[in-house]
Amino acid sequence: MSSSPSPNGASFSSPPSSSPNDESFFTPSTGTNPTTPTTATTTINTPVDEDPSPFSSPEAQISWPPDGNLTLNWVLDLMSKFDWASRNLPPAEFPTVLPVQVFDRLVLTASKILHKEPNLVRVDLDVDDERGKDCRVVVVGDVHGQLHDVLFLLRSAGFPCENRFFVFNGDYVDRGAWGLETFMLLLAWKVFMPKRVFLLRGNHESKYCTSVYGFEQEVVTKYGDRGKHVYRKCLGCFEGLPLASIIAGRVYTAHGGLFRSIPVTPSKRSKGKKNRRINSNPEVSTLSLGSLEELSKARRSVLDPPWEGLNLIPGDVLWSDPSMSPGLSPNTERGIGLLWGPDCTEEFLKRYQLKVVSLMFQLIIRSHEGPDAREKRIGLAGMDEGYTVDHIVESGRLITLFSAPDYPQFQATAERYKNKGAYIILEPPNFDNPTFNSFEAVTPRPKANPYYDFQDVIDSDEELDLTAMVSEP
C-alpha cells in the first residue's frame, strides 16, 4: 500500500495505481471492486485516446430499435459512434450519426421516465438479500460535455448493470464541446436501465446557463435549421431531472447541496370557508435549513430556478456552496442559492439519523465546484484530485465531487489547471464509506472549437446576470 495526500491535507492509504489495458472503451468491464479503507484513493492512469473498434460501421446512422427497447449493444454502439464522430466528422455532420428522428425518440422516452420520478429519488439497496450484498453505487460529479472522459469513467468504474448503480450529480452540458453527445449517452443508459441509472439536475441544465456557456450554440451548430427544435426538446428534458437522491438511506446527494426552509404562515380564516389558506413568507430575516418534505414538494419544472419568490428550494439545491463560516447566508458571489457552514452540515445529518424515518444520513455528496471556482474559496481545499472533504463533523462528512479532468476544456488562463476528475464508489453494508477514484483526462482530445466566448465569460458562474433569468412564481 502506498500513501497519497488527500485534497484536504490528510494522508490516506491507497492501493497501487491501476492502469486499464489497451482494449476498446466499449469492452464491458467488471469495474473496480475496492477492498481499501473508507477513505482510500485510487489514482487511475488514463489511456491515450485511440480509435475504438465500433460494433457496426462508424459511418452508419444510429437507428431506433423497431420494438422501442434499448439493449446493451445498442447503447455501446451509440458510445462507439459518438466517439468516432467526435474525431472524424465536422459538427454540422452530426445528424448523419444521430438523426433528428432518433434524437426525438430517445429524448421523449427518457423524458417520460424522468418526469415520473420524484424530486428526491431513492436508490434502495437490500443488503439483506444475497444479491444486494454485491451491489455497488458509483457517484459521478460534473462532466461538462467532456465526452471522452465520460467514456473512460464508465469503462473504469464498470458499466451500469444489475448490481452496479450510477448516480450522476448533474452538469452534463456547457463549456465542453460534446455536451449533446454526453447528455444523449446518459439518457440512453437511463432508458436502458431506469432503476440502475439516476440522473440528477445541475445548475447548467437551465436555459440561462446553456445560452451563456455554449450548449445552445453547440446544438444549433450540429443540427442547423433543426437546432432550435433539438434545443427545446433538451430544455424540456432538463425540467424532468430530479433534484436530489438518497442512497441506501445513508447518503444524500445533490448538485449544489443544502437548501432553506420556506416558512408558511396561516392567514385569517374567511367567513363561511372551511379551509384555511396558507401563505408562504420567504422574506424572513433568519434563514433555516429546509426539510426533505419541503424538497419533495418543491416545483422543479422551471427552466431557470428563481432567486426570489416562493419557489427558492430548487435554486438552493442547484446553486448553493459550502463554507467554513458557520450558519446559513445568501450566496452573494453567485447571486443565487446559499452558503452553509459545518454546523449546518451537522444539523442536516443529525436530523436524519432517526430510525423512525428509516434514514441514517452520514454522508453528503455534492458537486458544482471545479478548480476555477475553488481557487477563489477561502478555507476550502482545491480540486486538484477531483474531490475534497469539506466538512468533517460528529455525524458524518460533506464531500465535493468533480468528474471533469483538465477542466474547463477551453481555458483562458496562462496555465491550465490540469486537475484530475474523480468518481466515488459506495459499498455494502452501509454505503457510507466512500472510495475515491481519481483519473486524468484522456489525451489527446479531438480538436474542437468552443461554442462560447471562453475568454470573456465568467469561469465559475459568479455575478450572474439575474435579469436575464426568467423568474417564475
Side-chain angles (χ1 to χ4, degrees), residues 108 114 120 150 161 197 206 233 322 343 391 395 400 453 465 467:
L108 175 62
L114 293 167
L120 183 62
V150 173
C161 60
V197 176
S206 68
K233 293 291 184 181
D343 57 326
H391 295 164
S395 297
T400 295
D453 187 352
D465 179 9
T467 60

Side-chain angles (χ1 to χ4, degrees), residues 291-310:
S291 67
L292 295 183
E293 181 181 10
E294 289 178 285
L295 174 58
S296 298
K297 294 179 179 178
R299 186 165 73 91
R300 76 174 189 255
S301 58
V302 285
L303 283 175
D304 293 301
W307 67 96
E308 61 184 4
L310 305 180

